[in-house]
Amino acid sequence: MRACSQVQVMDDDFSSRRESPPPPHVVGVSLCDSAPLLWRVEDLRSVRAQGLVGALLGSLPRTPRQNGRLGRPLLLLPEEERLLRERQTAAALPARRQDGGGAELVVQVEQQQEEEQQRSYEEQSILALEDRKSALLRAMTSSHSGGPGSGTGTEASDEALRGRLEDLDRSFTFPQSALAVQLSTARAGLSYCPEARAFLQADWPIREQHDRSWDARYQVFRDLRGRGFYLTSAGKFGGDFLVYPGDPLRFHAHFIAICSSLDESVCVLDVLSAARLGSNVKKTVLLCSPGTDGRILYTSLQWSGMV
Amino acid sequence: MYRTGRRCPVNMADHNKRDTEGEFFSEVLSPSELFAARSRSHKIPVRGQKDFFPDDSDEQRQRLEQSLNEHWSLISEERVERLGNLVKATWLQSEQIVELQSPAGKFWQTMGFSANGKQNLLPEEALYLMECGNLQVFYQNLPLSIQDGYEKFLSSSTVSLQQYQVFAHLKRLGYVVHRFDPSLEPSSYARQLNLPQSRDRAVKQLKRKRSASPTATSSHTEVQETPTADRMEEDECGRDGEEDKKPPESPLTASAGTAAASSDEGGGRTWWMTDDLGERSDHKPASGRSRWHFSSIPFPDLGSRGSSSSCLVPPDSSLLPGSVAVGVCDIAPWRRRINLREVKMSSKERRREEDKRRRRWDINRDREVRRCRNWAEYRELLARREGRPKGRPAHLWNREVTPLHDPRQPIPTKELLDKLSVIKSTHLLEEASSIKGSDEWRICFNVYQPDTVADFKKSNPGKPYSRMCVCSFDGPVPDLRAIKLLTYQSGDVPVVLAVVDHGDISFYTFKDFHLPTDVFS
């Protein structure tokens, strides 16, 4: 009996614990010219943790004039967007309000901004003054440290130092133009908690085309992602997806996936050109089709040469 | 160091703090963080070698973690700029342009335009400068974030996201990129005449205000194209040259021919009479055929020994023109000038001469030859006789479809090859002017080379390096019609297709090409 009750108690604990696992993060998708973009860093991290790579489009803040590494926003593949929506981990962010929420609110926000900037200015000028002082200290002490008459001259040098510091206090000005200002990447706004998720789902703007080829692509994407592969787009390689065995930051792609439905006839020349392209870039071409039983059929093409 | 800033995490275990709306999110830096940003590094870490296969080793995991951390730290870094380095501007929603409130910086040399006494920027230019950290745009007195910029500035009425991707990609590489305005392009005729472009900027400004973006049918740009003094397509020039050459040649040959013909005709008409010719000379009787009576016309043989006469009888006065009278001709002095010595031949030579004479068949014994009254008829006879092995066999030439070329006619090899080229080669611009414009395929941008930035003048940018047409891999491949249309619109500047594929951009261009011919005549 005791054992049962103990088990029961444990069951209760367990169930209560099961009811409250941390809900998955909901990313806010903003639509720009009907393309799904992610702007917030935590959203990008969450999406990467789910194995979705996306593509960065913007300039990198640190070095904006190069194309090697790009920065936010992250563009989602239509398949990635659909997967997030199915998992209920994405919600559409509302666009910035045109009217700003009413004239009163606008004035209020403006005032807030000005106050914040003023506070920032004051703080920064203090920091700047401190910075100058410590620089001065360093300069003066280093020049005196190695001197021969350091022992006797310390008092005099201290005096001089104090004098210089006082001068600095009096005369130092931090010009407005030197104020460091942030140019925000993402718009400040609300983030969504799980309770609001269901409500937001219904609000998703309908944009995509529902045709069979798109469906086939999505089935393949979901299956490969489920097997742990990372996928990105492969237009340059003449295919639908590039399939990586791990994170693309660390691994090369192994496959080029070309999706088609089972009953679609394929021209031999297309198969040949795909195989040729694949062998040129040292990747295996995968022909993928969703089967009738819900499983995906994969066929790989390998160049074997003349027999 | 830097941080992503304060934010209220969503996944907090403490549910009590949550309200239904959710937490307020912002990636704002504190003043100390802003100040500390001055000493940020400006270098990006180099990407290491990639691994081939994941093997669950610690080493790989570590490297992956390091790469990811680097990645996140770069991505999450916010733009911090000195207020003095920022140019302030406002977004004019109704006009969809950005108006500068403080003087423009170095970017003014290649970007922006003046209107209403103020400096303005196009939305894509403003967004790019925002991303570079040079510009702060306000709307309703509040600064816009980059996200706001993307959402407000990029639309179907200004520049689409894909077009902006191409624009920014090229700008980051250093190119100067302007919008393409087909109405500002000089027509091929104007270029041919080398007409100077009208510099009436006021008119252009007004046109620009009313016209729309690259995504609609009429787009606007502030640059004006100088007429290119260059010649047109190379092959067109070549073609013209060839055609020019032909006319002078043919009159020459024609005139030569006619001259020869006329001389022949003029000279021969009194000597030859056939039934066809209607003309009659005064000398010959009108009736029927007349023939030469060779026996009655003495051809003096001054060289033969047998000739004993020392003088020539004057010719028949009917054969002489007009009232020319000729007396007796003394041939003695002529005979003295001739070497009348007999040729001394060896026996062998003599025998050879006899052989030749024996074998030689006197052509005049042939009856058919005797029937020919003139050279033309004789040639016809020869042709008839020798027609079968070469020349013009009757079964080929007497029908509707005849051989391409008469092998007996001389022809240079190049002309023969031209005759043989049944499929004529064409060039890209052929019949391109008649193609109507389409909404689908449109040139978006003019691209100028980076090394021209120093002397670049917005009012007179010159001929662009290339023109961009933006499309995507999802869309159709351009067909010949589209390519002809784009090439025609572009004039003599190459058109580059920028194909956007989720962040990757590939550039393709089509070049007119002529198969080389080996033969030069």
Side-chain angles (χ1 to χ4, degrees):
Chain A
M1 271 307 284
R2 213 179 289 162
C4 287
S5 60
Q6 270 182 345
V7 167
Q8 261 186 356
V9 164
M10 275 181 72
D11 264 352
D12 282 338
D13 273 354
F14 218 28
S15 57
S16 66
R17 234 174 282 141
R18 245 186 294 134
E19 269 167 27
S20 56
H25 177 81
V26 175
V27 301
V29 176
S30 90
L31 290 174
C32 168
D33 198 19
S34 73
L37 300 178
L38 291 181
W39 288 94
R40 303 174 179 180
V41 178
E42 58 178 7
D43 288 349
L44 269 80
R45 285 182 102 116
S46 152
V47 146
R48 191 77 172 220
Q50 295 180 54
L52 303 174
V53 180
L56 291 166
L57 299 186
S59 310
L60 192 68
R62 183 179 278 203
T63 45
R65 286 183 173 83
Q66 46 84 31
N67 282 313
R69 281 185 111 125
L70 295 179
R72 287 177 278 162
L74 185 81
L75 173 67
L76 294 173
L77 285 174
E79 290 79 27
E80 290 172 335
E81 186 196 347
R82 186 168 161 183
L83 192 66
L84 286 172
R85 277 179 36 225
E86 279 192 6
R87 291 179 183 173
Q88 298 196 326
T89 49
L93 280 179
R96 183 192 170 106
R97 295 183 62 168
Q98 288 283 72
D99 56 351
E104 260 184 41
L105 188 62
V106 166
V107 170
Q108 200 179 35
V109 174
E110 256 186 76
Q111 274 179 350
Q112 251 178 0
Q113 284 250 319
E114 274 181 38
E115 281 166 18
E116 272 184 38
Q117 196 168 55
Q118 185 57 30
R119 253 179 307 189
S120 177
Y121 173 72
E122 284 159 13
E123 254 194 70
Q124 282 191 37
S125 32
I126 296 169
L127 288 166
L129 180 57
E130 276 176 28
D131 193 50
R132 279 282 282 276
K133 283 185 182 169
S134 51
L136 185 62
L137 264 171
R138 259 179 286 133
M140 294 202 66
T141 49
S142 64
S143 63
H144 285 299
S145 59
S150 51
T152 47
T154 37
E155 276 203 32
S157 58
D158 277 345
E159 267 301 319
L161 185 60
R162 229 176 294 128
R164 291 279 286 276
L165 288 175
E166 276 169 20
D167 278 338
L168 206 54
D169 264 324
R170 261 179 283 130
S171 63
F172 180 77
T173 51
F174 187 63
Q176 188 77 7
S177 63
L179 175 65
V181 154
Q182 175 185 359
L183 302 162
S184 306
T185 313
R187 176 170 64 240
L190 297 174
S191 61
Y192 296 99
C193 64
E195 283 84 11
R197 248 182 296 150
F199 166 69
L200 293 161
Q201 272 309 311
D203 236 357
W204 200 274
I206 302 166
R207 293 152 17 245
E208 67 269 353
Q209 333 81 316
H210 283 287
D211 61 346
R212 303 239 341 255
S213 62
W214 195 74
D215 229 22
R217 279 178 62 132
Y218 179 66
Q219 304 292 334
V220 172
F221 181 90
R222 198 169 53 173
D223 187 67
L224 286 173
R225 177 79 283 282
R227 290 167 191 258
F229 291 104
Y230 286 68
L231 296 114
T232 57
S233 74
K236 276 199 305 196
F237 293 90
D240 288 316
F241 302 113
L242 269 184
V243 185
Y244 296 81
D247 196 301
L249 275 178
R250 276 254 56 92
F251 300 101
H252 289 293
H254 282 180
F255 307 110
I256 302 171
I258 302 178
C259 311
S260 59
S261 58
L262 267 183
D263 48 9
E264 207 177 293
S265 61
V266 176
C267 171
V268 170
L269 285 178
D270 290 341
V271 174
L272 274 176
S273 57
R276 196 53 142 149
L277 196 61
S279 66
N280 272 353
V281 296
K282 297 192 188 59
K283 298 188 204 302
T284 309
V285 175
L286 274 185
L287 300 176
C288 321
S289 304
T292 43
D293 54 352
R295 296 178 53 174
I296 313 291
L297 298 166
Y298 297 102
T299 313
S300 68
L301 296 178
Q302 190 184 30
W303 195 268
S304 64
M306 305 278 275
V307 176
Chain B
M1 279 305 288
Y2 38 77
R3 267 183 275 145
T4 48
R6 291 169 277 132
R7 53 178 165 77
C8 310
V10 179
N11 298 344
M12 273 178 65
D14 195 346
H15 296 263
N16 298 331
K17 278 204 183 156
R18 258 201 233 137
D19 54 358
T20 45
E21 279 225 41
E23 284 79 25
F24 190 78
F25 158 86
S26 65
E27 286 164 347
V28 167
L29 301 176
S30 67
S32 53
E33 285 169 329
L34 289 171
F35 187 74
R38 294 184 314 168
S39 44
R40 265 186 203 163
S41 156
H42 281 276
K43 285 193 283 190
I44 1 175
V46 172
R47 273 203 251 242
Q49 278 273 334
K50 286 197 191 180
D51 296 319
F52 183 70
F53 199 79
D55 53 12
D56 279 337
S57 67
D58 275 335
E59 215 186 310
Q60 264 191 8
R61 218 192 335 255
Q62 246 179 353
R63 275 202 293 253
L64 175 62
E65 223 178 277
Q66 193 191 10
S67 297
L68 276 174
N69 285 339
E70 256 173 32
H71 181 74
W72 294 127
S73 62
L74 281 175
I75 296 293
S76 56
E77 208 170 76
E78 287 286 311
R79 293 170 177 86
V80 176
E81 288 291 326
R82 281 178 83 247
L83 206 57
N85 291 348
L86 282 176
V87 176
K88 288 210 187 326
T90 34
W91 167 246
L92 304 177
Q93 178 75 32
S94 49
E95 285 150 80
Q96 306 263 290
I97 52 169
V98 170
E99 192 181 77
L100 298 184
Q101 306 301 330
S102 61
K106 267 206 310 191
F107 62 79
W108 189 250
Q109 199 179 16
T110 54
M111 293 196 267
F113 61 96
S114 294
N116 300 333
K118 290 217 147 190
Q119 292 176 321
N120 293 341
L121 285 170
L122 291 170
E124 67 269 20
E125 296 172 332
L127 187 56
Y128 172 70
L129 288 170
M130 279 171 72
E131 288 202 285
C132 287
N134 295 341
L135 187 71
Q136 197 179 24
V137 183
F138 289 82
Y139 179 61
Q140 292 175 342
N141 291 331
L142 291 173
L144 293 176
S145 63
I146 308 288
Q147 179 178 357
D148 292 321
Y150 267 76
E151 288 172 12
K152 281 192 168 310
F153 298 176
L154 304 181
S155 69
S156 52
S157 55
T158 54
V159 160
S160 75
L161 178 63
Q162 285 181 350
Q163 287 169 343
Y164 176 70
Q165 275 180 266
V166 174
F167 176 85
H169 180 97
L170 292 168
K171 290 291 301 178
R172 279 183 223 123
L173 291 173
Y175 289 99
V176 176
V177 186
H178 285 162
R179 284 195 193 171
F180 174 73
D181 183 1
S183 61
L184 289 182
E185 288 301 305
S187 68
S188 58
Y189 184 58
R191 256 184 279 133
Q192 211 175 359
L193 296 180
N194 201 5
L195 278 179
Q197 286 285 288
S198 67
R199 303 278 172 93
D200 194 349
R201 301 193 78 202
V203 176
K204 295 282 183 322
Q205 303 279 351
L206 282 171
K207 248 188 10 179
R208 227 173 292 126
K209 285 251 171 217
R210 278 186 240 115
S211 67
S213 64
T215 49
T217 34
S218 63
S219 63
H220 77 256
T221 180
E222 50 126 335
V223 300
Q224 296 165 13
E225 292 286 328
T226 47
T228 47
D230 305 353
R231 58 198 179 31
M232 292 196 284
E233 301 281 332
E234 261 184 57
D235 50 338
E236 275 184 15
C237 200
R239 203 158 294 214
D240 285 343
E242 273 173 51
E243 280 168 357
D244 283 341
K245 268 186 256 148
K246 281 209 182 83
E249 276 179 50
S250 37
L252 266 175
T253 49
S255 58
T258 47
S262 57
S263 59
D264 276 340
E265 288 293 280
R269 203 149 292 162
T270 54
W271 299 90
W272 304 97
M273 292 283 282
T274 60
D275 288 341
D276 306 333
L277 284 173
E279 277 162 65
R280 302 201 155 93
S281 73
D282 302 328
H283 311 289
K284 294 295 170 203
S287 64
R289 301 157 158 239
S290 39
R291 294 181 145 270
W292 285 108
H293 297 287
F294 292 103
S295 46
S296 64
I297 303 170
F299 282 93
D301 181 9
L302 301 186
S304 66
R305 288 143 162 267
S307 170
S308 51
S309 63
S310 58
C311 59
L312 281 180
V313 177
D316 189 358
S317 59
S318 64
L319 296 171
L320 295 171
S323 49
V324 175
V326 172
V328 174
C329 176
D330 180 21
I331 57 175
W334 295 109
R335 292 193 88 192
R336 274 198 290 271
R337 289 181 198 184
I338 299 171
N339 176 7
L340 294 169
R341 268 178 281 141
E342 240 195 72
V343 175
K344 281 243 159 73
M345 283 192 287
S346 67
S347 55
K348 227 195 267 181
E349 284 174 330
R350 240 179 282 136
R351 253 182 277 130
R352 222 188 293 142
E353 283 295 307
E354 283 172 20
D355 270 336
K356 259 200 266 175
R357 246 181 282 128
R358 216 181 294 131
R359 292 223 198 98
R360 199 196 321 158
W361 182 64
D362 189 0
I363 201 156
N364 292 311
R365 290 212 208 117
D366 191 343
R367 221 164 0 124
E368 283 191 15
V369 174
R370 279 211 294 273
R371 242 184 273 137
C372 298
R373 289 168 294 157
N374 53 40
W375 277 109
E377 288 183 11
Y378 178 62
R379 252 195 267 143
E380 268 175 45
L381 171 67
L382 285 180
R384 262 200 313 275
R385 283 178 175 177
E386 294 160 26
R388 273 142 251 128
K390 59 177 185 262
R392 295 164 67 103
H395 69 278
L396 286 181
W397 287 95
N398 296 342
R399 296 206 183 158
E400 295 155 5
V401 179
T402 56
L404 190 63
H405 178 70
D406 184 353
R408 299 175 310 152
Q409 303 297 328
I411 185 171
T413 318
K414 189 174 189 303
E415 277 180 37
L416 183 62
L417 287 178
D418 281 342
K419 264 190 166 185
L420 282 171
S421 65
V422 175
I423 302 171
K424 295 262 179 281
S425 64
T426 176
H427 59 106
L428 201 53
L429 285 179
E430 209 167 279
E431 291 175 33
S433 50
S434 55
I435 299 179
K436 294 264 164 44
S438 79
D439 274 358
E440 210 186 344
W441 296 103
R442 180 178 301 109
I443 298 176
C444 305
F445 300 116
N446 293 333
V447 179
Y448 303 86
Q449 287 223 286
D451 52 359
T452 59
V453 167
D455 348 287
F456 188 82
K457 284 189 178 44
K458 279 187 290 189
S459 54
N460 183 13
K463 195 166 104 155
Y465 174 64
S466 69
R467 297 197 218 266
M468 287 288 147
C469 174
V470 179
C471 52
S472 89
F473 280 117
D474 299 329
V477 177
D479 51 6
L480 183 61
R481 187 180 167 283
I483 297 169
K484 276 187 189 267
L485 173 67
L486 291 172
T487 316
Y488 179 70
Q489 277 186 343
S490 167
D492 48 357
V493 175
V495 174
V496 175
L497 290 157
V499 188
V500 182
D501 168 43
H502 276 95
D504 267 331
I505 305 177
S506 316
F507 296 96
Y508 299 97
T509 183
F510 290 93
K511 284 201 169 129
D512 216 354
F513 178 72
H514 274 274
L515 286 174
T517 46
D518 285 332
V519 182
F520 299 93
S521 63

